[in-house]
Amino acid sequence: AQKVTQAQTEISVVEKEDVTLDCVYETRDTTYYLFWYKQPPSGELVFLIRRNSFDEQNEISGRYSWNFQKSTSSFNFTITASQVVDSAVYFCALDGGATNKLIFGTGTLLAVQP
Amino acid sequence: DSGVTQTPKHLITATGQRVTLRCSPRSGDLSVYWYQQSLDQGLQFLIQYYNGEERAKGNILERFSAQQFPDLHSELNLSSLELGDSALYFCASSVGAEVGYEQFFGPGTRLTVL
């Protein structure tokens, strides 16, 4: 069975702190994709990153970075120098198997205090 | 703006009623997905259509049905509504149907069943 676990329900940090959001996944597929989405208070889901199972290179995009480790089935997301605008719920998702349906984790609510 | 449109934005109705949610995918996208986000179940995949044909089914109740029309827009029909159906319903679209295609999410329809 496929599963995504985001053990951190809520994280609160002060602006400019670095924060890491954890994501652990389970799948028997050899080809799969991992995603991160952001859901700000306005409610829409905003795509952040996609990573396939054959590419374990870490990725950095501005203040965002992602660490994919197949050995521990983890795909963690770090925000450097957090800002108030980063406050949102962040979802990790898994896409595998024959169809393109996303399995979401329960999300992590990040609150960045000024 | 993802390019995916959903109407209506908000819907308030009573138990036992039937509603229709509408989704227009991004231009060029052939695949449409429906997801439900509720406090109890989190973000769950309901159903996927590709070029008018049902492609995959998730935890969609028998009271719910969907279709994709020749112009590629999709409708999600919810009938015999119950209080527990209150949720945010997202539509997403992608170019292809196979695993790994990025899904672009619409702004969602918030359904409240009283």
Side-chain angles (χ1 to χ4, degrees):
Chain A
Q2 297 183 319
K3 187 179 177 182
V4 175
T5 300
Q6 294 180 256
Q8 303 152 309
T9 308
E10 286 186 42
I11 300 177
S12 182
V13 298
V14 176
E15 217 172 9
K16 297 184 184 174
E17 282 186 32
D18 298 347
V19 58
T20 295
L21 310 182
D22 297 334
C23 173
V24 174
Y25 63 92
E26 294 175 31
T27 182
R28 292 182 181 175
D29 297 314
T30 52
T31 300
Y32 54 90
Y33 289 77
L34 295 162
F35 299 79
W36 277 93
Y37 283 86
K38 173 182 180 180
Q39 187 174 39
S42 50
E44 74 272 24
L45 281 167
V46 179
F47 167 82
L48 295 177
I49 190 171
R50 173 184 57 190
R51 172 67 73 212
N52 76 52
S53 52
F54 299 108
D55 181 2
E56 286 193 71
Q57 267 196 327
N58 290 334
E59 181 152 342
I60 298 175
S61 176
R63 295 183 298 106
Y64 295 169
S65 62
W66 291 269
N67 184 337
F68 175 32
Q69 291 197 334
K70 279 177 85 167
S71 59
T72 55
S73 297
S74 65
F75 186 43
N76 296 337
F77 172 31
T78 298
I79 302 175
T80 303
S82 59
Q83 300 175 0
V84 173
V85 293
D86 296 327
S87 297
V89 180
Y90 290 86
F91 291 95
C92 179
L94 169 67
D95 178 2
T99 61
N100 196 23
K101 65 179 187 186
L102 293 175
I103 307 297
F104 284 90
T106 49
T108 297
L109 172 61
L110 174 64
V112 181
Q113 310 295 336
Chain B
D1 186 348
S2 66
V4 179
T5 60
Q6 289 186 249
T7 56
K9 199 166 184 177
H10 300 279
L11 199 48
I12 301 174
T13 188
T15 54
Q17 296 298 304
R18 172 189 170 96
V19 297
T20 297
L21 312 184
R22 183 188 168 103
C23 167
S24 292
R26 289 189 325 154
S27 176
D29 284 358
L30 299 178
S31 196
V32 169
Y33 313 76
W34 287 97
Y35 291 85
Q36 179 195 58
Q37 185 177 26
S38 65
L39 287 174
D40 291 344
Q41 304 291 330
L43 256 171
Q44 279 201 113
F45 167 77
L46 295 179
I47 197 163
Q48 177 195 10
Y49 280 82
Y50 178 74
N51 207 19
E53 300 288 325
E54 183 182 302
R55 175 82 181 205
K57 240 177 175 175
N59 297 329
I60 187 167
L61 299 172
E62 282 192 18
R63 301 183 285 108
F64 295 1
S65 65
Q67 53 184 326
Q68 185 179 27
F69 295 86
D71 67 352
L72 301 178
H73 91 271
S74 177
E75 292 181 358
L76 178 67
N77 300 296
L78 315 176
S79 61
S80 302
L81 285 167
E82 302 175 0
L83 296 177
D85 297 327
S86 296
L88 187 52
Y89 291 85
F90 285 106
C91 169
S93 72
S94 65
V95 170
E98 291 75 32
V99 67
Y101 279 102
E102 181 183 336
Q103 294 181 29
F104 296 86
F105 282 79
T109 293
R110 185 168 294 281
L111 173 67
T112 302
V113 182
L114 301 175

